[in-house]
Amino acid sequence: MAEYRIREYRDEDYEAARELFAAAMSEHAPGLCMHVLHQPWVLLVLACTFTLLLASSRSVLLPVLAVTLLLALGRQLLSYAWGLYIERCLGDDLRDIHASYVEPASSCFWVAEAAEGVVGTVAARPADAGNGTLMLRRMAVRRDFRGRGVATALGRAVLGFAQHRGCRAVVLNTLMVQHEARRLYEHLGFQPDRRYLLPTLYGRLAGCVITTYRYDLPAAD
C-alpha cells in the first residue's frame, strides 16, 4: 500500500506547504557557499589576502585568522542572501497559493500527503512565454520521504495535467546547486534546453547558472 497520495491543494495545506518549501530550499545554502568559494575571483581575493598579510606580518597565524574570518563572513552573507530569496518566493506566488494556483483553471498546485501530513509539493502555471507552455514550479519533498518516488509522482502529476490541457511542453528552471532535482527531471524525460548566467550583479559574482529543462508533449490527435 502506498505511503502517500498525490492530491490537489486545499487551503488547510497553506502553512505546511510554505514551511516545506522553505525548509527544502534552505538545504541548498551550504552548496551555494561551496559554489561561490570556487569562483576564481573569490580564490584570488583569499590568496592575495593571505599573501599580503603573511609578507607584512611574517606570521602564519594572522593570515590564517584573516582568511578564516573572511570565509565565515562570506558564509553568513550568502546564507542571508539565500534567505532573502526564499522570503521573496514566499511573498510572491506562495503568499496566496489559492489565488495563484487554484482559482486560475490553467494552473494547479499539488501536495503529497502521508500519515504525517504534507510531505511534498509541486505547482504548475502557464509560462511567461505562453505558446501553450506550462511552467513546473515549487517542487519540494521532505527529506525523510526522498527516494520513495514522491517527487517522481508529483512530476508526473504536472505532466498529466499539461497533457490533459493540450499544452505543447512543460518547462522548468534549476540552479547549479540543485543536483538531485536535475537528476529527477532527466529521469522523468526532461531535456536540458539552455543554460545562462543569472543576469544580475549578484548572479555574475556568485556564478549563478540557471539550466532550463523542457519536456515536449505529444500533439493531440
Side-chain angles (χ1 to χ4, degrees), residues 97-208:
I97 298 174
H98 190 96
S100 299
Y101 295 105
V102 178
E103 291 179 4
S106 57
S107 303
C108 196
F109 195 103
W110 296 264
V111 301
E113 183 182 49
E116 296 88 338
V118 174
V119 298
T121 65
V122 74
R125 68 181 185 185
D128 294 336
N131 300 323
T133 303
L134 201 70
M135 172 73 76
L136 185 153
R137 311 186 78 204
R138 310 314 185 202
M139 173 77 81
V141 175
R142 208 172 78 181
R143 179 185 287 272
D144 55 331
F145 269 78
R146 292 173 193 168
R148 305 188 192 185
V150 178
T152 299
L154 288 167
R156 286 175 178 161
V158 174
L159 294 175
F161 177 79
Q163 190 160 14
H164 177 73
R165 293 197 59 80
C167 296
R168 296 174 54 194
V170 178
V171 297
L172 59 92
N173 294 325
T174 62
L175 285 170
M176 65 285 166
V177 294
Q178 295 177 295
H179 307 296
E180 290 183 7
R182 291 205 299 273
R183 287 194 292 269
L184 163 70
Y185 297 132
E186 290 170 5
H187 171 72
L188 284 169
F190 284 83
Q191 298 296 322
D193 189 34
R194 67 189 185 102
R195 298 174 73 248
Y196 62 95
L197 196 65
L198 190 65
T200 63
L201 177 62
Y202 171 78
R204 289 191 289 270
L205 288 175
C208 288

Side-chain angles (χ1 to χ4, degrees), residues 11 21 25 31-32 37 63 66 75 91 95 106-107 120 123 133 145 168 171 173 175 181 185 199 209-210 212 220-221:
D11 288 341
F21 173 79
M25 291 299 289
L32 177 64
L37 178 60
R75 182 184 178 88
R95 181 175 179 271
S106 57
S107 303
T133 303
F145 269 78
R168 296 174 54 194
V171 297
N173 294 325
L175 285 170
Y185 297 132
V209 177
I210 296 175
T212 299
D221 295 331

Side-chain angles (χ1 to χ4, degrees), residues 7-8 36 65 67 70 73 90 94 138 155 162 167 169 185 216:
R7 62 167 174 80
E8 292 187 11
V36 174
L65 290 175
V67 169
L70 285 175
L73 179 61
L90 294 174
L94 294 179
R138 310 314 185 202
C167 296
Y185 297 132
D216 288 305

Side-chain angles (χ1 to χ4, degrees), residues 60-89:
V60 175
L61 182 60
L62 179 60
V64 167
L65 290 175
V67 169
T68 301
L69 180 61
L70 285 175
L71 289 172
L73 179 61
R75 182 184 178 88
Q76 289 297 317
L77 289 174
L78 284 170
S79 296
Y80 176 72
W82 188 245
L84 289 179
Y85 169 73
I86 295 173
E87 287 298 321
R88 191 181 75 180
C89 293

